[in-house]
Amino acid sequence: MRAHGILNSARCVVMLVMLAMMGMVGLAPAPAHAQTGPTFGIVGANVQKQANAVLTLMSFAVVPDLASSSLSISNTSTDNPALTLWQLGGGFTLSQSFPLYLEGSIAYNRYDPTFVASNGQETRKLPTKWNTFAGTVGVGWDFPLIDSKELVFRPIFNASIGRVASDLSVAKFAVEHVTDQEIAFLDNGAMNAYGLGGSVMLDWESHRNERDVDVELRYTNIYLRSFGTTGGMNASAAAQTASLYARWRAPTGLRALDRPVRYVLELSHSHYFGNQAGALGFSQLTTVGTGLELDTSAHEVFVTRIRGVFRYVFGNNVHGLSFGLAASF
């Protein structure tokens, strides 16, 4: 989900991201197994392709993106989630007089691909689980394009760090059979990665008593490179995403908690380029949403606004519904 809060809440998110990223650096890769017996290998794959695929999965976690921030895609044969993407992020500008922009996001991805292993005589299916943890921070500067400073151009420097850990869901297979380097990587293999890059953004924020409008047009390009990988494999991937986000908020005419109740309309569209394009079966995602917002600022509570939004997500080969809650502090 994407957090749209005021200054204090955004600062908390960025601090959490920085702490999480420091914790990822200290993680060490787990050892691979070595066995005796007939040797099995992955059909139609090699170690380098696996490493690149793992890093491509991580690329979806390092780019701040509403469309893929809360997404679960089910395996049609098992009806279990084969892909889960989750992300929490926020950003803020210090002030109009000193328009330093800071942002941060933390993300978790889970992907459950099934490989086929063979020793030339028999084949076995290998259900695996890839778990990705990643964090991204960004530092930018707002350049106003109009006198009201409602429209700004914002270049951002981004840095990311993450870790992917893989394990076989059928551990007995790795115990009973000799496996080559490819299967060894799938069984408790791990990959750390860092990323450097940047973003450019056009941000229009217009706030009036009768309505609030927020529109963001963003392009992000972060180059990821592996380190500390099981088996010494090296991999790289480029996270390239262009996105549009728009939100309209206006009073409904109703009142609650001594403040107007506002309705919320949302639209976002993300297009994935480079390694991301088609990697998970889609090259673009769109969300449309509607909901309500309660203003609690008239009362002495630490939450000033609460929003609930229903969203419909669709793209190449995917579609679904979601419900999200957001709070401003």
Side-chain angles (χ1 to χ4, degrees):
M1 68 183 64
R2 179 172 180 167
H4 293 277
I6 60 175
L7 191 60
N8 290 336
S9 61
R11 283 175 174 164
C12 291
V13 171
V14 174
M15 290 178 65
L16 287 172
V17 170
M18 295 180 68
L19 290 173
M21 291 175 68
M22 288 188 290
M24 291 177 194
V25 177
L27 296 174
H33 296 284
Q35 310 296 335
T36 60
T39 302
F40 276 76
I42 299 296
V43 176
N46 58 53
V47 176
Q48 188 60 52
K49 286 183 179 180
Q50 290 180 43
N52 290 335
V54 168
L55 212 56
T56 298
L57 175 65
M58 186 183 293
S59 68
F60 286 89
V62 300
V63 176
D65 179 30
L66 177 65
S68 62
S69 63
S70 180
L71 182 67
S72 179
I73 300 176
S74 296
N75 186 322
T76 55
S77 61
T78 63
D79 204 29
N80 290 323
L83 172 65
T84 300
L85 308 177
W86 179 90
Q87 187 181 83
L88 172 67
F92 63 93
T93 299
L94 289 181
S95 67
Q96 287 192 347
S97 59
F98 186 70
L100 179 69
Y101 175 79
L102 300 175
E103 68 176 12
S105 65
I106 53 177
Y108 167 74
N109 293 355
R110 180 185 176 94
Y111 183 42
D112 299 343
T114 298
F115 294 89
V116 177
S118 175
N119 64 354
Q121 299 177 347
E122 61 176 312
T123 59
R124 299 279 185 93
K125 288 186 177 181
L126 299 181
T128 59
K129 303 179 187 298
W130 287 351
N131 298 287
T132 302
F133 298 90
T136 299
V137 295
V139 179
W141 192 267
D142 288 356
F143 295 93
L145 299 181
I146 56 178
D147 293 338
S148 65
K149 298 185 178 181
E150 291 183 340
L151 177 64
V152 300
F153 172 71
R154 181 180 297 144
I156 306 169
F157 170 76
N158 292 113
S160 305
I161 192 165
R163 176 179 173 85
V164 179
S166 174
D167 64 271
L168 289 171
S169 61
V170 185
K172 185 178 179 181
F173 179 90
V175 174
E176 293 181 345
H177 299 277
V178 166
T179 57
D180 64 7
Q181 188 182 7
E182 297 160 1
I183 297 180
F185 176 72
L186 294 178
D187 185 27
N188 293 320
M191 175 184 291
N192 300 315
Y194 68 90
L196 296 174
S199 307
V200 289
M201 180 190 297
L202 281 176
D203 185 8
W204 179 46
E205 297 183 7
S206 178
H207 302 291
R208 303 287 187 272
N209 290 332
E210 65 275 12
R211 53 92 182 131
D212 286 348
V213 179
D214 301 294
V215 180
E216 296 177 1
L217 182 63
R218 175 174 181 147
Y219 174 75
T220 300
N221 190 334
I222 299 176
Y223 181 75
L224 294 170
R225 190 166 185 83
S226 64
F227 70 95
T229 306
T230 299
M233 292 179 292
N234 294 316
S236 61
Q240 299 171 279
T241 303
S243 60
L244 169 69
Y245 172 78
R247 181 177 62 189
W248 171 283
R249 295 178 293 177
T252 61
L254 303 175
R255 293 180 65 86
L257 303 175
D258 300 320
R259 288 289 187 270
V261 177
R262 300 201 289 182
Y263 67 89
V264 182
L265 301 177
E266 282 188 357
L267 168 69
S268 75
H269 178 78
S270 297
H271 195 100
Y272 307 99
F273 302 92
N275 300 108
Q276 292 180 296
L280 298 177
F282 53 81
S283 59
Q284 57 187 12
L285 287 175
T286 302
T287 71
V288 291
T290 184
L292 294 175
E293 179 180 87
L294 295 178
D295 188 339
T296 61
S297 60
H299 301 271
E300 295 183 0
V301 293
F302 67 96
V303 176
T304 59
R305 290 182 180 180
I306 301 174
R307 286 187 300 277
V309 180
F310 287 95
R311 296 187 180 98
Y312 176 66
V313 185
F314 60 95
N316 313 97
N317 307 312
V318 294
H319 63 88
L321 297 172
S322 69
F323 175 74
L325 287 173
S328 300
F329 300 88

